[in-house]
Amino acid sequence: MWDNPSLRCLLAIAFLHLLSLIYSQETGFPEAPLYLKCITHDLNRMICSWGATSSANLGLTYKICYTNSEPFSPVCIKTEEKRADIPVTMGSTNIEITTLNASGTPLATETFVLPEENVSLIPLTPQILNLNADFSTYTLYLKWNDGGSVFQHELDASWQIQILRKETMETVTLMNYDSKLTGKDSILSWNWTSDIPLECTSHHVKIRCYINDPYFSGRKEWSEWSPIKTVPGKDTKISNAVVFPQDKVVLVGSNVAFCCLYNEGESIKYMKYGSESYSLLRLSKWSSAIKVQNVSASISSGTNVWCSVLPDNVAGTVLFVGYAPDTPQNLNCETRTFITITCSWNPGRPTRLYRQRQTKYILFERISRENVTCKVDELNKNHHCDFPVHANQKIYSFTLEATNPLGRAESSLLIDVNQRAHLETPDKFTVSTNSSTNAHLSWYIPGNFIQIRLLCQIEISNTNSGQLQQNVSMAGAENSNYRARVDALHPYATYTFRVRCSASEHFWRWSKWSEGKKLTTLEAPPARGPDIWREKSPVGETLTVFWKPLLLSEANGIIRSHEVSCYPRETVLEVPVPLNSTEIKFGGNDCLISVVAKNRAGSSPSSRITSVDLPSDNVKTELAIATGNGIYISWHSDPNVTCGYTLKWCISSGSEPCSVDWEMFPSNATDAVIKSALFQPGVRYNFSLYGCKHNGYQLLQNIMGYMKELSPKVAPNFTVEETSSDSILVKWEDIPVEDCQGFLKGYILSFAKGEKGTSKTSLMEEGSPELTVKTITDLTKKSLRILDLQGKTSYRLDLQAYTIGGKGPSKDLYVVTKENSVGLIIAILIPVAVAVVLGVVTSILCYQKREWIKETFYPDIPNPENSKALQFQKNICEGNTALKTLEMNPCTPNSVEVVETRSTVLKIEDTEIISPVVDSELLEDGSDPETGSHVVVSYCPPIIEEEISSPARDEPVGSSQIIYIDIQSMYQPQVNPEEEPEINFVTSAGYKPQMQLPINAMKMESHSPTEEDLDKTAGYRPQANTNVWKLDSPDSPTSIQSNNENGSFGSPCSINSRQFLIPPKDYEDSPTPNNTGWSFTNFFQNKPND
C-alpha cells in the first residue's frame, strides 16, 4: 500500500495541512485584534481602539463583547471600524473582540482584561472662542469654553496657554491657568501684556487642558493643542516707516521696547532713544526693535525716539515717563462763607506729567450723589476744589479721586459743616477814639452766619506794654459789619489794632488777621512827679536841683516844662524842656524843694526833697563788684534811715561837665545792681550812698566800682636801683587809675638769663627751666630784691600788673650783675689747698710704708739660716733619730691638698713644716687650724738605706705632711679652695720636695709607684736644677716658651727671697737680675724681711 505513489502524495498533503493548522494556532490569524488601547474624555464613555496583523480590511467586521468583573451578562456591539465606544466602569473590564468575515463567520477571537489603570484620561481639545488685542496697553484678551458640562461632578482643571510671535513661531511665554469645572460649560478669560507693542509683529495663541480627578486611577494626560489664533501686527500693512508705540506714557523705571516698521526694500540705519543709540532686534523682515531699560522721568515735552530708514526716511515717536498719582494728602474740607465748602489737599509726589496727561481730580459727595471736576494747577503744591452747600444738610461725605494715564488714587473725608467754619479775613477794618483810655473798632466779614455765633479776637500792640489780646463774642449776620470797644488804654499812647474771627460754639480755626490799624489816645496829666536830687555848692550859697525825665508811660503826653519851688521861701521857677536841672539861691537857709511836671492836659503830683545835709563821720570807701553788665553794690542796713537810700554817681564824658545820676531804694534794701547805658568797661565809677532820715540826708558810704574789669592798659614803670654779684634791687611806680581798668591785684616779676637782642619767647616762655616768676600781692610794696643770682651774668626782667580782668602788658629791662671777687678767690684757693693736702697724705703713706718700699725697690739678700722651710716642730723630731732633712732617700707622697692658690703659678714665700701629729691634735681639741691659706703637701720621711729597692705593693709607707704657710695670708683675703683651678703642683707649688715624683702618683693616692718611677725619683734631688736655671722670672716670655716642667729660675734661694743665695761661680760677676715681681696689694702691707 505504501508503494502507491498517489497515496503517498495525499498523505504528504494531509501532513502539510496539519502542520499548517498547528502553526496557525501558534502564531494567530492575520485578522486577530491586537494592541487594545482605551481613552476617555469625560470619565463616562471610553473609546477603545485596536490593531491587527493585516492592515487590509477585506470586508471584516468586529464583534465586541464587554463586561466588568462582576457577574453581569456581557454586552455586545458590532462595528466595522477598529474602535468602539463603551462605558467606563469601575475596576477591570473584560473585552472580547471577534473578527468576522463578510458571511459572519468568526475568523479570530481575542479576549482582553482592561484594568482602570490602563485607561487614559485625555480632555477634549479646547477651542478658543475669542482673541482680542488692546494695542494701547500691549494686552491680549483670551476667552474659551472650559467644556465642564461633559463631567458629572466638579473637577480641577489646568490650562497651558502658549504665546508665539515672529514668522518662526518662537515661544514668548508658556503660562499656566487653573480653574474649577462645575459640571456645566463656563467661559474662561485670561489676558497677557506683551513686552513689545502688538503692532510690531503678529502674535499667536494656543491652549490645552489637563483634568485632575483624584478618584480616577488611570493615566491623566494633556489634551491636544487648540487651533492657533493670531493677532496680526501692522508690519505688513504700512505705506511709510512708522515707530511704535505712539506717544506712550510709562512709569519711571519701566523697560520699554520700540519697534520701527518699514517697507520691503528698505533697511534701518539706527534707532535712538533721546541722544543714545541702541542695538537692533529683528522681529520680521519688515520690523526691528530696540529695548530701553529703566527709563527715567522725562521733561514736560517727553523724550524723542528716532528711527533712521535707508535710503532716506525718518520716523519717530515721543515717550512720556512719570509717576502714577499719589494718594491726596492732608485732605481738608471747610466752609468760609456757609455758601460753598472748600476742600484742599496736597497732591504728594509730583507725577512729572503735564497738560492732557496730568492728574485729573473729581470730588464726589456720597450723600447727595453729586460730584464736581476740580481744576488744578499741576505746578502748584496746594490744590483746592469748591462744593456747594445744600440747605438742610450738615453732614458731607467726600471722596477725592485722582487719575492719570498711569493709575488712580483716592482719599475720603466725613465732616459736619457747622464744625468746619473757617471765616474769611475781616475787611474794611477801622479804629477811632474820643478819649485817652478807649477806642472803637469796626470790620466786615462776607458770608451767611445767621445760624452760628462768632468769636472775634482783637490784638492790641504797644511798644511799651507789648501785645494784649481781647476776645469778643457776637451773633452772626449775613454780609454784615461787626463792632467792638476796647477800654483801659493808656493816655497818649500809640496802639496797633487788628482782628480775626471764628465760630464760637464749635471752634475750628481762626481766620487770618486783618490789616493793622494805628491809633494814638488823647493826653492826660502826668501820672507822678519826677525823681529829684539836690546838691549844695561848696560855699553853701546855692542849691542845684536835678530831676529825671518821666517815662512816656508816666508822662501821659508831651512834657512842656517843670515847675521848681522852694518853701518856706516864695521862690518858683519855670524850667522849660529839655533842661533837667536848675540852681536856687537860698543864702544858706535850708528849705523844702518841690518839682512838678506839666503837659497840655495838666500837672503831675509834686516831688519833694529837703536841702538839709546831716554831718558824717568816718565815711569809708568800699569796692563794688563788676557783674559784666552792671555794678553790684551792697551796704549795711541803718535803722535810723526812715525814708530810703539814695545812691548817687557822676559820669564824665570827655570835656563835658559831669552828669549826675542817682537811684533811690527803700529803707529795707541792702544791695543793688546799678545798670546804665552810659557805663563802659574798664572805667572806674565813684558812688556815694546817702541815707534819708527824718531830718535830712546823711552820707553813709563811698563806693568805687567797675561795670567790667579789664586788664591794665599800660605796664608799670620800673627801674633797677642797685645791683651786686648775686642780687638786683627793683623799684616801680603806681599805674594811673585811668590806665588800671580794674582793681589791681598785684604785680608779676619774671626774670631769666638772657642777652639783649635775644628772642623774648625763648627766654620768658612759661615752663622754661631758666625762668623764675615772683608774684607781689602786697600793693604797698614798691620794690623787690632778687637774690641768688650769678655774678657777671646778664638777666632780662619783665614786670606787669594784673587785675581780675587779666594781665596787662609787660615792660622789660636787661641787667648785668657784678663780678663775684670772693668766688674768684675761692676758685684759686681750693685747687692749692687740695694739692697741699694730697702732698701731705702721700708723704705720710710713704713714711709708713718705707720698709716695704725699701724691700720692693731695694731688697736685701736674705739669710738662709732664718728660713723656716727647714724647721720642723720639736715634738715631731724629738726622739726620732731616723728623721733627717734632705736625705737622698726614696719617698712616696700620699696626697697633695692645695688650700689656697692666688695665681696660676704659686709663689710660696714662707713655709713652715708641721708634723701631722700636731695637726691631728689640733683637730681633736676642736680648734680650727688656719688652713684657709695653707698648701698641704704629703711628705715621706727619708729611708736610711744606701740602695733603693722596689717596695711591695702592700707594704705601707710611712708618711707625714708638710704644711706650707703663707705668712701673707694673715693680711690678704681668704680664697675658697674649691674655686681654685687645677694646677700642676710639681711645677708651680713654690717649694719643691727633695724627691721628684710623677704627677700621676701625686694625684692618685691608691696607686703604687713602679720600679721605673722609683728609679726616677730615687736619691737626693736639689731644690733647683742648675742646668735649667734661668735669669728670667717664671712669668717672662722666655720662661713660658721653654716647655720644661722642671725648670727653675734664678738660683737656689730661700723661699721668701727672689735673690740668689749661692750663685754659681760662673755668675758671681754677673749683675743681679731686676725682674723681681710685686703686686699692688703689697703696697698696703707692712711685711718686714725675716
Side-chain angles (χ1 to χ4, degrees), residues 706-949:
Y706 292 86
M707 182 190 76
K708 182 179 180 181
E709 293 191 53
L710 304 178
S711 59
K713 188 185 300 184
V714 297
N717 290 323
F718 75 107
T719 58
V720 176
E721 295 294 323
E722 180 184 334
T723 59
S724 64
S725 59
D726 60 349
S727 66
I728 299 173
L729 178 61
V730 179
K731 289 188 178 181
W732 59 86
E733 300 174 358
D734 287 332
I735 300 177
V737 173
E738 60 273 12
D739 294 332
C740 289
Q741 300 191 125
F743 296 117
L744 283 182
K745 295 298 181 181
Y747 300 90
I748 299 175
L749 178 63
S750 306
F751 60 93
K753 294 179 182 179
E755 299 290 339
K756 198 168 186 179
T758 56
S759 173
K760 178 180 178 181
T761 304
S762 60
L763 293 176
M764 312 304 290
E765 187 177 8
E766 292 187 7
S768 174
E770 299 291 335
L771 178 65
T772 303
V773 179
K774 292 184 179 295
T775 302
I776 302 99
T777 57
D778 186 1
L779 298 179
T780 61
K781 280 184 73 172
K782 302 302 176 185
S783 64
L784 177 68
R785 183 176 294 275
I786 306 173
L787 303 176
D788 300 328
L789 303 179
Q790 296 181 6
K792 203 174 183 179
T793 304
S794 177
Y795 286 91
R796 177 189 176 117
L797 309 180
D798 275 15
L799 183 64
Q800 57 185 155
Y802 68 95
T803 64
I804 292 179
K807 299 177 183 178
S810 63
K811 183 177 182 181
D812 57 79
L813 288 176
Y814 287 90
V815 183
V816 179
T817 57
K818 296 180 179 180
E819 187 174 359
N820 190 351
S821 57
V822 177
L824 179 61
I825 295 173
I826 292 174
I828 296 173
L829 291 179
I830 286 176
V832 174
V834 170
V836 171
V837 171
L838 288 177
V840 172
V841 172
T842 303
S843 300
I844 294 172
L845 290 176
C846 290
Y847 179 78
Q848 292 179 349
K849 297 293 182 176
R850 64 187 179 279
E851 294 297 334
W852 175 82
I853 294 173
K854 178 181 179 183
E855 179 186 349
T856 302
F857 296 100
Y858 302 99
D860 296 333
I861 297 174
N863 188 357
E865 294 179 357
N866 296 331
S867 176
K868 296 179 181 179
L870 301 179
Q871 294 179 4
F872 296 91
Q873 295 182 2
K874 294 181 180 182
N875 56 359
I876 296 178
C877 299
E878 286 180 355
N880 191 352
T881 58
L883 295 177
K884 296 183 179 181
T885 302
L886 302 178
E887 290 286 332
M888 297 178 59
N889 293 322
C891 176
T892 302
N894 286 348
S895 63
V896 176
E897 179 181 2
V898 179
V899 180
E900 179 191 15
T901 303
R902 285 200 303 271
S903 62
T904 305
V905 180
L906 293 177
K907 301 179 181 66
I908 301 176
E909 298 178 356
D910 291 329
T911 59
E912 183 179 358
I913 301 174
I914 303 174
S915 171
V917 179
V918 177
D919 257 328
S920 62
E921 290 176 357
L922 291 173
L923 293 173
E924 290 174 357
D925 294 339
S927 60
D928 294 333
E930 296 180 4
T931 59
S933 59
H934 295 176
V935 178
V936 180
V937 181
S938 296
Y939 180 78
C940 295
I943 301 174
I944 310 172
E945 292 183 6
E946 299 298 331
E947 296 181 0
I948 301 172
S949 62

Side-chain angles (χ1 to χ4, degrees), residues 334-366:
E334 58 191 17
T335 181
R336 291 180 175 271
T337 61
F338 279 87
I339 299 173
T340 59
I341 297 174
T342 301
C343 293
S344 60
W345 66 92
N346 188 331
R349 179 184 60 191
T351 61
R352 308 293 295 272
L353 301 176
Y354 307 95
R355 301 184 181 90
Q356 65 269 28
R357 284 165 289 275
Q358 72 178 13
T359 303
K360 297 177 175 58
Y361 294 93
I362 296 177
L363 183 62
F364 175 75
E365 204 283 307
R366 182 181 58 83

Side-chain angles (χ1 to χ4, degrees), residues 24 148 153 196 198 325 459 501 612 815 927 958 1012 1079:
S24 63
H153 54 276
I196 65 173
L198 298 179
E459 183 185 77
C501 297
V612 178
V815 183
S927 60
E1012 182 179 357
S1079 62

Side-chain angles (χ1 to χ4, degrees), residues 110 118 143 147 164 188 195 245 380 446 535 558 636 680 930 982 1024 1042 1083-1084:
E110 189 70 35
N118 292 341
K143 291 183 179 181
L164 306 99
L188 301 180
D195 59 338
N380 190 358
E535 281 191 354
I558 300 175
H636 298 288
Q680 296 180 5
E930 296 180 4
E982 185 179 351
S1042 62
F1083 182 79
F1084 300 99

Side-chain angles (χ1 to χ4, degrees), residues 125-128 205-207 225-229:
T125 302
Q127 298 295 321
I128 298 175
V205 182
K206 60 181 180 178
I207 63 175
W225 286 105
S226 69
I228 292 177
K229 286 283 187 176

Side-chain angles (χ1 to χ4, degrees), residues 1066-1077:
D1066 300 335
Y1067 293 93
E1068 287 181 355
D1069 299 330
S1070 62
T1072 303
N1074 295 326
N1075 48 356
T1076 59

